[in-house]
């Protein structure tokens, strides 16, 4: 029989989590399907409903308040189970949670699904209105059998010793070996028509009956309610006006959808594995970055501690020196006043001198004595301490530092991470970094960090505080790779750094020029804007003028235009955009003598001796590689970039055609006589060759048919303002 499992063993692998009841956390036992399509054991539904019933009837009970639908509950008593299984009409006196008390409305039972943690309506029939999940029951049984693979199911009819069974009859509810099955189910008898499956101990009948009409089997599927129904449900039940289909049709449709979904998941297995590997790497990277961040934070704080210790030592030394100096001054002053105490004999001596009656002798002695007494008197009258006792000048004022320490930035999930806009960020003569922030109005400022990526050693980050969401960084080194990142500040809160943006600077300084409206400009075919940084070819106009020549086999010529500044030395780089609609455009460099030849007698665009890829007119294909030419032009058109032929590259057309870059750069090394063409988006060299630099070289352009060329505008403050206005 199809699906009986007797032909090939059923592989059970890594599905344990799908077979666990969300309530009791064990393998499903008689699972029921809830209206939310989650399954739950029959006994668990009863236990949860009884718990809710007890909680409703005993609101003040602590135990009822602490009950959780997701906990395994003890088995209920038989009287409670009977109460659950009663019909709704017999349970109207019970105060079920969620029942509407209005007698005019049907009573419903609200059940908290432990799978999705939402309340679902079981309807008035409650448990009796739920379908049994026979498919899940069968899978659980197969899983149990696979787990008991070591214990074989023995034949029930064999004489001792019994043989291992190979089949189980669902009608006889017994297991048989091959010999016993043939004996008890002989060919041509009624028993031969019995339903048999692989060896099993589960003989429960797999018949899906209608919950509304218990004697009717399910044979239809309601497309509106998305549930199986019987024919009575369609004739006069709740699904009378609903669109139903046959069970075989629903089976076929759902099986096809499920098969496609499974095939899709199986086909994406390698992708899922790679994503899991990537997630593992990201977890490891996060772990490493977290430890590195901790080490950096510790390093920063240790530096602060070192500075504080150094300042502390310096302040303490200064205080000790000042204290010693003041104490020395006080000691000296004290010794002076100690001398005054010792001069008490001077007072007695002076009193004795006053007793002298001889005037000449008195004057002789009193003069010196008067000076000594006057000096002591003045010291007493103008007593001033030799030093101050206060050390206010040495009190450390840490209020500002305390405030700064309190504002130390730390990473928090309270502010979103800015995201650098790679499309609007670019590098030319300067670098323009543009970013956006989901909480733009809530961020006070940003800090843009950038550093040069050096393979030899890791450069330190340079920081620039920015109030807006874009910044121009000048003075970057040529032919270098830079990393940029930004973080947002809101008060003392700092967001994590954004993902790094890598930009490659041009290989040489930017060469500024405009299109020359006096040399090479054909105003009949070309249209130049006022700023002279954009030229367009009037679509088809030159072809119309040359219509007669086309009829007799002649071809139209290219329309040339050059830059207004020549190059005679050094390294230079410039960039431009070719409009996607352009039919044929040639770009590169040309010497002054070659330009004179072109502008006086322009070549035919499709001449038999004209090579479009290399831009020269020579009868020998190899001649252009033997010696450098006084010009080099490459062809761009129809959204393609064509690599010129060369001895070292493949001459197959498909290998010489690349997608047209958004912006194209040209690098001219005049001293080495070499010109290179770059994809500006990745600063990748697409093609390079030697060029004759014996004369002045000019940026050269040529157009045929509809087309347009726009010179890249240098990145300046005005450019930034323009971007912000946009």
């Amino acid at each position: 029989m199809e699906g009986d499992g007797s032909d090939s063993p059923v592989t059970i692998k890594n599905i344990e989590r799908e077979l666990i009841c969300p309530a009791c956390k064990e393998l499903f036992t008689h699972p029921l399907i809830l209206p939310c399509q989650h399954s739950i054991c029959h006994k668990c539904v009863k236990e949860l409903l009884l718990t809710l019933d007890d909680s409703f009837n005993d609101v003040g009970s602590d135990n009822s308040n602490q009950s959780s639908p997701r906990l395994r509950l003890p088995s209920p008593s038989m009287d409670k189970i009977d109460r659950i299984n009663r019909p709704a009409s017999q349970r109207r006196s019970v105060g079920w949670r969620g029942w509407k008390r209005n007698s005019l409305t049907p009573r419903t039972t609200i059940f908290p699904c432990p799978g999705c943690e939402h309340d679902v309506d079981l309807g008035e029939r409650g448990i009796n209105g739920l379908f049994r999940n026979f498919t899940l029951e069968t899978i659980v049984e197969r899983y149990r059998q696979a787990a008991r693979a070591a214990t074989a199911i023995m034949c029930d009819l064999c004489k001792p010793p019994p043989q291992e069974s190979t089949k189980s009859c669902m009608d006889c509810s017994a297991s048989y070996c091959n010999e016993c099955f043939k004996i008890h189910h002989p060919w041509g008898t009624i028993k031969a028509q019995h339903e048999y499956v692989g060896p099993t101990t589960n003989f429960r009948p797999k018949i899906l009956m209608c919950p509304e009409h218990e004697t009717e089997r399910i044979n239809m599927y309601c497309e509106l309610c998305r549930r199986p129904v019987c024919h009575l449900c369609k004739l006069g039940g709740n699904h009378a006006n609903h669109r139903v289909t046959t069970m075989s049709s629903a089976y076929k449709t759902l099986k096809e959808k499920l098969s496609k979904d499974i095939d899709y998941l199986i086909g994406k297995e390698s992708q899922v594995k790679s994503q899991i590997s990537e997630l593992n790497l990201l977890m490891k990277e996060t772990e490493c970055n977290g430890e590195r961040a901790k080490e950096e934070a510790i390093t920063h704080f240790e530096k602060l501690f070192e500075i504080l210790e150094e300042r502390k030592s310096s302040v303490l030394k200064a205080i000790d020196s000042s204290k010693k100096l003041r104490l020395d001054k006080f000691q000296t002053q004290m010794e002076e006043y100690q001398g005054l105490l010792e001069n008490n004999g001077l007072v007695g001596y002076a009193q004795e001198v006053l007793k002298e009656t001889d005037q000449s002798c008195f004057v002789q002695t009193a003069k010196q004595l008067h000076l000594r007494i006057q000096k002591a008197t003045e010291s007493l009258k103008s007593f001033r301490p030799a030093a101050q006792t206060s050390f206010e000048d040495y009190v450390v004022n840490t209020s500002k530092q305390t405030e700064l320490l309190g504002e130390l930035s730390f990473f928090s999930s309270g502010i979103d991470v800015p995201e650098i806009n790679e499309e609007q960020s670019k590098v030319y003569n300067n670098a323009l970094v543009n970013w956006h922030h989901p909480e733009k109005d809530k961020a006070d400022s940003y800090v843009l960090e950038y550093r040069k990526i050096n393979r030899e050693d890791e450069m330190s980050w340079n920081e620039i505080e920015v109030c807006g969401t874009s910044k121009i960084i000048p003075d970057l080194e040529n032919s270098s790779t830079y990393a940029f990142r930004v973080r947002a500040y809101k008060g003392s809160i700092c967001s994590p750094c954004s993902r790094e943006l890598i930009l490659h600077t041009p290989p040489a300084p930017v060469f500024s020029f405009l299109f020359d409206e006096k040399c090479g400009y054909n105003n009949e075919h070309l249209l130049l804007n006022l700023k002279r940084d954009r030229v367009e070819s009037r679509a088809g106009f030159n072809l119309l003028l040359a219509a007669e020549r086309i009829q007799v086999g002649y071809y139209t010529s290219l329309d040339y235009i050059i830059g207004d500044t020549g190059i005679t030395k050094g390294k230079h780089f410039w960039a431009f955009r070719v409009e996607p609609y352009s039919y044929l455009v040639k770009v590169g460099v040309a010497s002054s003598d070659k330009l004179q030849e072109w502008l006086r007698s322009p070549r035919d665009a499709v001449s038999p001796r004209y090579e479009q890829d290399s831009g020269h007119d020579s009868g020998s294909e190899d001649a252009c590689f033997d010696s450098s030419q006084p010009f080099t032009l490459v062809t761009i058109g129809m959204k393609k970039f064509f690599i010129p032929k060369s001895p070292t590259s493949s001459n197959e057309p498909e290998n010489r055609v690349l997608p047209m870059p958004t912006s194209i750069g040209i690098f001219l090394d005049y001293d080495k006589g070499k010109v290179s063409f770059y994809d500006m988006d990745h600063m990748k060299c697409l093609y390079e060759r030697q060029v004759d630099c014996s004369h002045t070289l000019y940026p050269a352009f040529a157009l045929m048919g509809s087309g347009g060329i726009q010179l890249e505008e240098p990145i300046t403050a005005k450019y930034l303002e323009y971007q912000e206005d946009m």
Side-chain angles (χ1 to χ4, degrees), residues 57-70:
N57 294 327
D58 189 10
V59 179
S61 173
D62 293 338
N63 294 331
S64 65
N65 291 336
Q66 295 175 357
S67 64
S68 173
R70 280 155 291 284

Side-chain angles (χ1 to χ4, degrees), residues 502-653:
I502 306 299
L503 294 179
H504 306 276
T505 58
V510 171
F511 178 62
S512 298
F513 67 92
L514 297 174
F515 289 116
D516 193 342
E517 79 273 18
K518 297 180 180 179
C519 183
Y521 173 55
N522 187 341
N523 56 7
E524 294 181 356
H525 302 164
L526 301 179
L527 181 64
L528 193 63
N529 66 348
L530 295 177
K531 295 174 62 177
R532 293 194 292 121
D533 63 349
R534 178 181 176 84
V535 63
E536 294 185 19
S537 176
R538 299 185 180 184
F541 190 67
N542 52 348
L543 294 177
L544 292 176
L545 294 177
E548 294 181 357
R549 287 183 292 165
I550 293 178
Q551 291 177 355
V552 296
Y554 285 86
Y555 301 93
T556 59
S557 61
L558 291 167
D559 294 311
Y560 291 93
I561 188 170
I562 64 173
D564 59 358
T565 306
I567 299 174
T568 57
K569 63 178 180 179
K571 299 179 180 179
H572 304 276
F573 183 88
W574 61 92
F576 51 88
R577 299 189 303 274
V578 175
E579 296 298 342
Y581 63 81
S582 300
Y583 175 70
L584 190 151
V585 174
K586 285 182 173 291
V587 296
V589 295
S591 65
S592 55
D593 61 336
K594 193 64 178 179
L595 288 172
Q596 294 294 330
E597 178 185 347
W598 283 349
L599 299 178
R600 289 177 181 174
S601 57
R603 299 286 178 175
D604 290 336
V606 199
S607 169
R609 298 171 61 83
Y610 185 88
E611 172 55 45
Q612 293 187 7
D613 296 323
S614 64
H616 75 281
D617 187 11
S618 173
S620 174
E621 181 63 35
D622 298 331
C624 65
F625 305 110
D626 297 336
S627 61
S628 61
Q629 297 294 317
F631 63 94
T632 294
L633 299 177
V634 297
T635 303
I636 302 167
M638 295 183 291
K639 299 183 181 181
K640 302 295 182 182
F641 183 96
F642 298 90
I643 301 294
K645 294 179 181 179
S646 67
T648 58
S649 64
S650 173
N651 288 329
E652 296 296 330

Side-chain angles (χ1 to χ4, degrees), residues 420 422 425-433 448-455 457-464 471-486 498-508 680-683:
I420 295 182
E422 297 186 8
S425 300
K426 58 182 297 186
V427 65
Y428 192 35
N429 60 321
N430 297 319
L432 169 65
V433 181
L448 175 64
E449 299 182 349
Y450 68 95
R451 71 177 179 186
K452 180 181 177 182
I453 299 178
N454 195 330
R455 296 182 178 179
D457 55 349
E458 187 172 339
M459 307 291 289
S460 60
W461 290 93
N462 300 299
E463 296 185 356
I464 302 177
K471 183 64 177 176
I472 294 176
I473 300 95
D475 303 327
L476 299 180
E477 296 183 17
N478 296 322
S479 190
S480 301
T481 303
Y482 283 86
F484 300 86
R485 66 186 187 186
V486 65
S498 66
R499 182 175 295 182
E500 294 184 9
L501 170 68
I502 306 299
L503 294 179
H504 306 276
T505 58
M680 280 288 292
D681 292 337
H682 308 92
M683 204 58 69

Side-chain angles (χ1 to χ4, degrees), residues 243-255:
R243 181 180 177 181
V244 298
T245 183
T246 60
M247 189 59 66
S248 60
S249 176
Y251 168 81
K252 182 179 179 180
T253 302
L254 293 176
K255 191 168 186 178

Side-chain angles (χ1 to χ4, degrees), residues 413-425:
S413 59
I415 182 170
D416 292 339
V417 182
E419 296 181 6
I420 295 182
N421 192 325
E422 297 186 8
E423 295 182 355
Q424 296 183 9
S425 300

